[in-house]
Amino acid sequence: MIRIAPLLIGALALAACSDHKTKPEPTSTRTVSSTTTTGGSTKTTTSTTSTSAAPKSGGSRAGTSSKQAPLPDNTGIASCDEYLASYKSCHLAAGIYARDQIESRYELMRTSLLRQSQDADMRDQLSNRCTSLANQLKEALHGKSCTDVPAPASTR
């Protein structure tokens, strides 16, 4: 059972990402087999290693190039722009992250959505992603308004 666990985890990860369009990356695969004989029994072990080639400079993936095009002010996708506009206040009201983490998490999400909005392959899926994120946030609010921001914790 322990040997199957990594395979099941990998299969679940692949299934979770199966609805995302990705550009194929060139890969190389190396398979190594070894046979061990101990006390009359023979055990064969096979190991397969796959490696992806480094992405080309200037690629559309986040973080692949140190010289990326400047990001726009908004995604141009209504559901994403609305989600970003309410991100800070709604996450504070829902209490999902500590107050001191909201700004950095917002910046990461904003950068991710803005970059994906510039990628023609990702843009098609962005509206659904943002709608899903907004729905998850709404559920986390448990009926509270995004203006119901809790007071900061006392330092006394």
PDB file of all heavy atoms in Angstrom, residues 99-123:
ATOM      1  N   ARG A  99      -3.950  39.552   9.326  1.00  0.00           N
ATOM      2  CA  ARG A  99      -4.000  40.908   8.782  1.00  0.00           C
ATOM      3  C   ARG A  99      -2.684  41.295   8.110  1.00  0.00           C
ATOM      4  O   ARG A  99      -2.684  41.925   7.054  1.00  0.00           O
ATOM      5  CB  ARG A  99      -4.341  41.881   9.908  1.00  0.00           C
ATOM      6  CG  ARG A  99      -4.568  43.299   9.468  1.00  0.00           C
ATOM      7  CD  ARG A  99      -4.970  44.185  10.639  1.00  0.00           C
ATOM      8  NE  ARG A  99      -6.321  43.942  11.108  1.00  0.00           N
ATOM      9  CZ  ARG A  99      -7.405  44.537  10.614  1.00  0.00           C
ATOM     10  NH1 ARG A  99      -7.285  45.403   9.651  1.00  0.00           N
ATOM     11  NH2 ARG A  99      -8.594  44.263  11.078  1.00  0.00           N
ATOM     12  N   ASP A 100      -1.561  40.909   8.697  1.00  0.00           N
ATOM     13  CA  ASP A 100      -0.261  41.299   8.139  1.00  0.00           C
ATOM     14  C   ASP A 100       0.129  40.500   6.895  1.00  0.00           C
ATOM     15  O   ASP A 100       1.129  40.795   6.259  1.00  0.00           O
ATOM     16  CB  ASP A 100       0.838  41.216   9.197  1.00  0.00           C
ATOM     17  CG  ASP A 100       1.062  39.807   9.739  1.00  0.00           C
ATOM     18  OD1 ASP A 100       0.203  38.918   9.521  1.00  0.00           O
ATOM     19  OD2 ASP A 100       2.101  39.589  10.395  1.00  0.00           O
ATOM     20  N   GLN A 101      -0.658  39.499   6.526  1.00  0.00           N
ATOM     21  CA  GLN A 101      -0.376  38.699   5.332  1.00  0.00           C
ATOM     22  C   GLN A 101      -1.226  39.108   4.124  1.00  0.00           C
ATOM     23  O   GLN A 101      -0.931  38.721   2.995  1.00  0.00           O
ATOM     24  CB  GLN A 101      -0.640  37.217   5.602  1.00  0.00           C
ATOM     25  CG  GLN A 101       0.273  36.601   6.616  1.00  0.00           C
ATOM     26  CD  GLN A 101      -0.095  35.143   6.855  1.00  0.00           C
ATOM     27  OE1 GLN A 101      -1.054  34.612   6.303  1.00  0.00           O
ATOM     28  NE2 GLN A 101       0.688  34.489   7.703  1.00  0.00           N
ATOM     29  N   ILE A 102      -2.263  39.858   4.357  1.00  0.00           N
ATOM     30  CA  ILE A 102      -3.226  40.183   3.290  1.00  0.00           C
ATOM     31  C   ILE A 102      -2.551  40.881   2.113  1.00  0.00           C
ATOM     32  O   ILE A 102      -2.755  40.503   0.953  1.00  0.00           O
ATOM     33  CB  ILE A 102      -4.384  41.048   3.827  1.00  0.00           C
ATOM     34  CG1 ILE A 102      -5.200  40.268   4.860  1.00  0.00           C
ATOM     35  CG2 ILE A 102      -5.265  41.561   2.700  1.00  0.00           C
ATOM     36  CD1 ILE A 102      -5.999  39.110   4.307  1.00  0.00           C
ATOM     37  N   GLU A 103      -1.756  41.903   2.361  1.00  0.00           N
ATOM     38  CA  GLU A 103      -1.160  42.684   1.278  1.00  0.00           C
ATOM     39  C   GLU A 103      -0.252  41.819   0.400  1.00  0.00           C
ATOM     40  O   GLU A 103      -0.348  41.866  -0.834  1.00  0.00           O
ATOM     41  CB  GLU A 103      -0.369  43.875   1.832  1.00  0.00           C
ATOM     42  CG  GLU A 103       0.144  44.805   0.757  1.00  0.00           C
ATOM     43  CD  GLU A 103      -0.958  45.510  -0.031  1.00  0.00           C
ATOM     44  OE1 GLU A 103      -2.024  45.824   0.536  1.00  0.00           O
ATOM     45  OE2 GLU A 103      -0.751  45.746  -1.242  1.00  0.00           O
ATOM     46  N   SER A 104       0.613  41.022   1.008  1.00  0.00           N
ATOM     47  CA  SER A 104       1.531  40.195   0.204  1.00  0.00           C
ATOM     48  C   SER A 104       0.771  39.122  -0.573  1.00  0.00           C
ATOM     49  O   SER A 104       1.093  38.839  -1.726  1.00  0.00           O
ATOM     50  CB  SER A 104       2.608  39.568   1.078  1.00  0.00           C
ATOM     51  OG  SER A 104       2.041  38.694   2.034  1.00  0.00           O
ATOM     52  N   ARG A 105      -0.241  38.547   0.021  1.00  0.00           N
ATOM     53  CA  ARG A 105      -1.040  37.537  -0.676  1.00  0.00           C
ATOM     54  C   ARG A 105      -1.842  38.159  -1.825  1.00  0.00           C
ATOM     55  O   ARG A 105      -1.987  37.566  -2.882  1.00  0.00           O
ATOM     56  CB  ARG A 105      -1.957  36.802   0.298  1.00  0.00           C
ATOM     57  CG  ARG A 105      -1.163  35.905   1.247  1.00  0.00           C
ATOM     58  CD  ARG A 105      -2.080  35.094   2.126  1.00  0.00           C
ATOM     59  NE  ARG A 105      -1.350  34.204   2.971  1.00  0.00           N
ATOM     60  CZ  ARG A 105      -1.021  32.952   2.654  1.00  0.00           C
ATOM     61  NH1 ARG A 105      -1.345  32.475   1.476  1.00  0.00           N
ATOM     62  NH2 ARG A 105      -0.369  32.193   3.495  1.00  0.00           N
ATOM     63  N   TYR A 106      -2.347  39.371  -1.592  1.00  0.00           N
ATOM     64  CA  TYR A 106      -3.057  40.091  -2.647  1.00  0.00           C
ATOM     65  C   TYR A 106      -2.118  40.347  -3.829  1.00  0.00           C
ATOM     66  O   TYR A 106      -2.487  40.124  -4.984  1.00  0.00           O
ATOM     67  CB  TYR A 106      -3.620  41.415  -2.117  1.00  0.00           C
ATOM     68  CG  TYR A 106      -4.077  42.345  -3.222  1.00  0.00           C
ATOM     69  CD1 TYR A 106      -5.296  42.135  -3.868  1.00  0.00           C
ATOM     70  CD2 TYR A 106      -3.286  43.409  -3.636  1.00  0.00           C
ATOM     71  CE1 TYR A 106      -5.707  42.964  -4.895  1.00  0.00           C
ATOM     72  CE2 TYR A 106      -3.690  44.250  -4.660  1.00  0.00           C
ATOM     73  CZ  TYR A 106      -4.900  44.026  -5.289  1.00  0.00           C
ATOM     74  OH  TYR A 106      -5.307  44.839  -6.321  1.00  0.00           O
ATOM     75  N   GLU A 107      -0.920  40.815  -3.557  1.00  0.00           N
ATOM     76  CA  GLU A 107       0.035  41.116  -4.624  1.00  0.00           C
ATOM     77  C   GLU A 107       0.384  39.860  -5.431  1.00  0.00           C
ATOM     78  O   GLU A 107       0.495  39.915  -6.653  1.00  0.00           O
ATOM     79  CB  GLU A 107       1.299  41.773  -4.071  1.00  0.00           C
ATOM     80  CG  GLU A 107       1.089  43.202  -3.613  1.00  0.00           C
ATOM     81  CD  GLU A 107       0.594  44.130  -4.718  1.00  0.00           C
ATOM     82  OE1 GLU A 107       0.981  43.960  -5.894  1.00  0.00           O
ATOM     83  OE2 GLU A 107      -0.197  45.035  -4.399  1.00  0.00           O
ATOM     84  N   LEU A 108       0.549  38.729  -4.747  1.00  0.00           N
ATOM     85  CA  LEU A 108       0.829  37.472  -5.454  1.00  0.00           C
ATOM     86  C   LEU A 108      -0.339  37.078  -6.358  1.00  0.00           C
ATOM     87  O   LEU A 108      -0.144  36.702  -7.515  1.00  0.00           O
ATOM     88  CB  LEU A 108       1.111  36.346  -4.457  1.00  0.00           C
ATOM     89  CG  LEU A 108       2.446  36.409  -3.735  1.00  0.00           C
ATOM     90  CD1 LEU A 108       2.513  35.348  -2.634  1.00  0.00           C
ATOM     91  CD2 LEU A 108       3.601  36.226  -4.715  1.00  0.00           C
ATOM     92  N   MET A 109      -1.558  37.171  -5.833  1.00  0.00           N
ATOM     93  CA  MET A 109      -2.744  36.809  -6.617  1.00  0.00           C
ATOM     94  C   MET A 109      -2.909  37.768  -7.791  1.00  0.00           C
ATOM     95  O   MET A 109      -3.170  37.353  -8.920  1.00  0.00           O
ATOM     96  CB  MET A 109      -3.997  36.826  -5.737  1.00  0.00           C
ATOM     97  CG  MET A 109      -5.282  36.512  -6.485  1.00  0.00           C
ATOM     98  SD  MET A 109      -5.321  34.875  -7.263  1.00  0.00           S
ATOM     99  CE  MET A 109      -5.502  33.839  -5.829  1.00  0.00           C
ATOM    100  N   ARG A 110      -2.751  39.063  -7.531  1.00  0.00           N
ATOM    101  CA  ARG A 110      -2.903  40.068  -8.579  1.00  0.00           C
ATOM    102  C   ARG A 110      -1.891  39.835  -9.697  1.00  0.00           C
ATOM    103  O   ARG A 110      -2.252  39.822 -10.882  1.00  0.00           O
ATOM    104  CB  ARG A 110      -2.724  41.469  -7.982  1.00  0.00           C
ATOM    105  CG  ARG A 110      -2.851  42.589  -8.994  1.00  0.00           C
ATOM    106  CD  ARG A 110      -2.673  43.964  -8.314  1.00  0.00           C
ATOM    107  NE  ARG A 110      -2.809  45.018  -9.285  1.00  0.00           N
ATOM    108  CZ  ARG A 110      -1.815  45.460 -10.072  1.00  0.00           C
ATOM    109  NH1 ARG A 110      -0.615  44.940  -9.962  1.00  0.00           N
ATOM    110  NH2 ARG A 110      -2.035  46.410 -10.942  1.00  0.00           N
ATOM    111  N   THR A 111      -0.644  39.638  -9.337  1.00  0.00           N
ATOM    112  CA  THR A 111       0.396  39.399 -10.335  1.00  0.00           C
ATOM    113  C   THR A 111       0.090  38.147 -11.147  1.00  0.00           C
ATOM    114  O   THR A 111       0.211  38.142 -12.374  1.00  0.00           O
ATOM    115  CB  THR A 111       1.775  39.271  -9.659  1.00  0.00           C
ATOM    116  OG1 THR A 111       2.044  40.494  -8.959  1.00  0.00           O
ATOM    117  CG2 THR A 111       2.875  39.007 -10.665  1.00  0.00           C
ATOM    118  N   SER A 112      -0.334  37.092 -10.472  1.00  0.00           N
ATOM    119  CA  SER A 112      -0.668  35.840 -11.154  1.00  0.00           C
ATOM    120  C   SER A 112      -1.805  36.050 -12.162  1.00  0.00           C
ATOM    121  O   SER A 112      -1.699  35.643 -13.322  1.00  0.00           O
ATOM    122  CB  SER A 112      -1.070  34.786 -10.122  1.00  0.00           C
ATOM    123  OG  SER A 112      -1.567  33.632 -10.749  1.00  0.00           O
ATOM    124  N   LEU A 113      -2.880  36.692 -11.732  1.00  0.00           N
ATOM    125  CA  LEU A 113      -4.021  36.898 -12.618  1.00  0.00           C
ATOM    126  C   LEU A 113      -3.682  37.843 -13.775  1.00  0.00           C
ATOM    127  O   LEU A 113      -4.106  37.618 -14.914  1.00  0.00           O
ATOM    128  CB  LEU A 113      -5.224  37.425 -11.837  1.00  0.00           C
ATOM    129  CG  LEU A 113      -5.838  36.442 -10.839  1.00  0.00           C
ATOM    130  CD1 LEU A 113      -6.962  37.108 -10.054  1.00  0.00           C
ATOM    131  CD2 LEU A 113      -6.332  35.186 -11.529  1.00  0.00           C
ATOM    132  N   LEU A 114      -2.909  38.887 -13.499  1.00  0.00           N
ATOM    133  CA  LEU A 114      -2.518  39.812 -14.570  1.00  0.00           C
ATOM    134  C   LEU A 114      -1.634  39.122 -15.600  1.00  0.00           C
ATOM    135  O   LEU A 114      -1.808  39.311 -16.808  1.00  0.00           O
ATOM    136  CB  LEU A 114      -1.811  41.039 -13.992  1.00  0.00           C
ATOM    137  CG  LEU A 114      -2.698  42.003 -13.211  1.00  0.00           C
ATOM    138  CD1 LEU A 114      -1.855  43.081 -12.557  1.00  0.00           C
ATOM    139  CD2 LEU A 114      -3.768  42.618 -14.096  1.00  0.00           C
ATOM    140  N   ARG A 115      -0.694  38.298 -15.140  1.00  0.00           N
ATOM    141  CA  ARG A 115       0.169  37.570 -16.092  1.00  0.00           C
ATOM    142  C   ARG A 115      -0.649  36.589 -16.917  1.00  0.00           C
ATOM    143  O   ARG A 115      -0.461  36.471 -18.121  1.00  0.00           O
ATOM    144  CB  ARG A 115       1.282  36.838 -15.343  1.00  0.00           C
ATOM    145  CG  ARG A 115       2.385  37.760 -14.937  1.00  0.00           C
ATOM    146  CD  ARG A 115       3.667  37.034 -14.644  1.00  0.00           C
ATOM    147  NE  ARG A 115       4.686  37.997 -14.326  1.00  0.00           N
ATOM    148  CZ  ARG A 115       5.352  38.031 -13.194  1.00  0.00           C
ATOM    149  NH1 ARG A 115       5.142  37.116 -12.281  1.00  0.00           N
ATOM    150  NH2 ARG A 115       6.263  38.952 -12.969  1.00  0.00           N
ATOM    151  N   GLN A 116      -1.545  35.876 -16.261  1.00  0.00           N
ATOM    152  CA  GLN A 116      -2.358  34.901 -16.983  1.00  0.00           C
ATOM    153  C   GLN A 116      -3.296  35.593 -17.970  1.00  0.00           C
ATOM    154  O   GLN A 116      -3.609  35.031 -19.012  1.00  0.00           O
ATOM    155  CB  GLN A 116      -3.139  34.031 -16.002  1.00  0.00           C
ATOM    156  CG  GLN A 116      -2.232  33.071 -15.259  1.00  0.00           C
ATOM    157  CD  GLN A 116      -2.971  32.262 -14.219  1.00  0.00           C
ATOM    158  OE1 GLN A 116      -4.168  32.385 -14.033  1.00  0.00           O
ATOM    159  NE2 GLN A 116      -2.239  31.407 -13.529  1.00  0.00           N
ATOM    160  N   SER A 117      -3.711  36.794 -17.662  1.00  0.00           N
ATOM    161  CA  SER A 117      -4.594  37.513 -18.586  1.00  0.00           C
ATOM    162  C   SER A 117      -3.848  37.907 -19.858  1.00  0.00           C
ATOM    163  O   SER A 117      -4.464  38.165 -20.882  1.00  0.00           O
ATOM    164  CB  SER A 117      -5.189  38.757 -17.917  1.00  0.00           C
ATOM    165  OG  SER A 117      -4.233  39.800 -17.807  1.00  0.00           O
ATOM    166  N   GLN A 118      -2.527  37.935 -19.802  1.00  0.00           N
ATOM    167  CA  GLN A 118      -1.711  38.276 -20.961  1.00  0.00           C
ATOM    168  C   GLN A 118      -1.359  37.044 -21.803  1.00  0.00           C
ATOM    169  O   GLN A 118      -0.851  37.164 -22.900  1.00  0.00           O
ATOM    170  CB  GLN A 118      -0.409  38.953 -20.510  1.00  0.00           C
ATOM    171  CG  GLN A 118      -0.644  40.237 -19.734  1.00  0.00           C
ATOM    172  CD  GLN A 118      -1.414  41.254 -20.542  1.00  0.00           C
ATOM    173  OE1 GLN A 118      -0.942  41.709 -21.566  1.00  0.00           O
ATOM    174  NE2 GLN A 118      -2.607  41.594 -20.089  1.00  0.00           N
ATOM    175  N   ASP A 119      -1.608  35.861 -21.259  1.00  0.00           N
ATOM    176  CA  ASP A 119      -1.300  34.594 -21.932  1.00  0.00           C
ATOM    177  C   ASP A 119      -2.557  34.106 -22.663  1.00  0.00           C
ATOM    178  O   ASP A 119      -3.555  33.766 -22.038  1.00  0.00           O
ATOM    179  CB  ASP A 119      -0.845  33.565 -20.897  1.00  0.00           C
ATOM    180  CG  ASP A 119      -0.423  32.241 -21.504  1.00  0.00           C
ATOM    181  OD1 ASP A 119      -0.836  31.906 -22.633  1.00  0.00           O
ATOM    182  OD2 ASP A 119       0.339  31.510 -20.836  1.00  0.00           O
ATOM    183  N   ALA A 120      -2.505  34.070 -23.977  1.00  0.00           N
ATOM    184  CA  ALA A 120      -3.676  33.691 -24.777  1.00  0.00           C
ATOM    185  C   ALA A 120      -4.209  32.305 -24.398  1.00  0.00           C
ATOM    186  O   ALA A 120      -5.420  32.080 -24.420  1.00  0.00           O
ATOM    187  CB  ALA A 120      -3.328  33.728 -26.267  1.00  0.00           C
ATOM    188  N   ASP A 121      -3.319  31.381 -24.048  1.00  0.00           N
ATOM    189  CA  ASP A 121      -3.759  30.032 -23.679  1.00  0.00           C
ATOM    190  C   ASP A 121      -4.487  30.014 -22.335  1.00  0.00           C
ATOM    191  O   ASP A 121      -5.368  29.198 -22.112  1.00  0.00           O
ATOM    192  CB  ASP A 121      -2.565  29.078 -23.610  1.00  0.00           C
ATOM    193  CG  ASP A 121      -1.955  28.828 -24.976  1.00  0.00           C
ATOM    194  OD1 ASP A 121      -2.671  28.993 -25.987  1.00  0.00           O
ATOM    195  OD2 ASP A 121      -0.763  28.474 -25.041  1.00  0.00           O
ATOM    196  N   MET A 122      -4.110  30.892 -21.420  1.00  0.00           N
ATOM    197  CA  MET A 122      -4.708  30.912 -20.086  1.00  0.00           C
ATOM    198  C   MET A 122      -5.942  31.809 -20.016  1.00  0.00           C
ATOM    199  O   MET A 122      -6.839  31.578 -19.212  1.00  0.00           O
ATOM    200  CB  MET A 122      -3.684  31.411 -19.056  1.00  0.00           C
ATOM    201  CG  MET A 122      -2.453  30.537 -18.920  1.00  0.00           C
ATOM    202  SD  MET A 122      -2.810  28.908 -18.290  1.00  0.00           S
ATOM    203  CE  MET A 122      -3.294  29.274 -16.633  1.00  0.00           C
ATOM    204  N   ARG A 123      -5.991  32.834 -20.834  1.00  0.00           N
ATOM    205  CA  ARG A 123      -7.059  33.832 -20.761  1.00  0.00           C
ATOM    206  C   ARG A 123      -8.456  33.213 -20.891  1.00  0.00           C
ATOM    207  O   ARG A 123      -9.383  33.635 -20.207  1.00  0.00           O
ATOM    208  CB  ARG A 123      -6.848  34.893 -21.842  1.00  0.00           C
ATOM    209  CG  ARG A 123      -7.760  36.074 -21.686  1.00  0.00           C
ATOM    210  CD  ARG A 123      -7.355  37.219 -22.597  1.00  0.00           C
ATOM    211  NE  ARG A 123      -8.277  38.316 -22.495  1.00  0.00           N
ATOM    212  CZ  ARG A 123      -8.226  39.264 -21.563  1.00  0.00           C
ATOM    213  NH1 ARG A 123      -7.261  39.241 -20.668  1.00  0.00           N
ATOM    214  NH2 ARG A 123      -9.115  40.223 -21.530  1.00  0.00           N
TER     215      ARG A 123
END
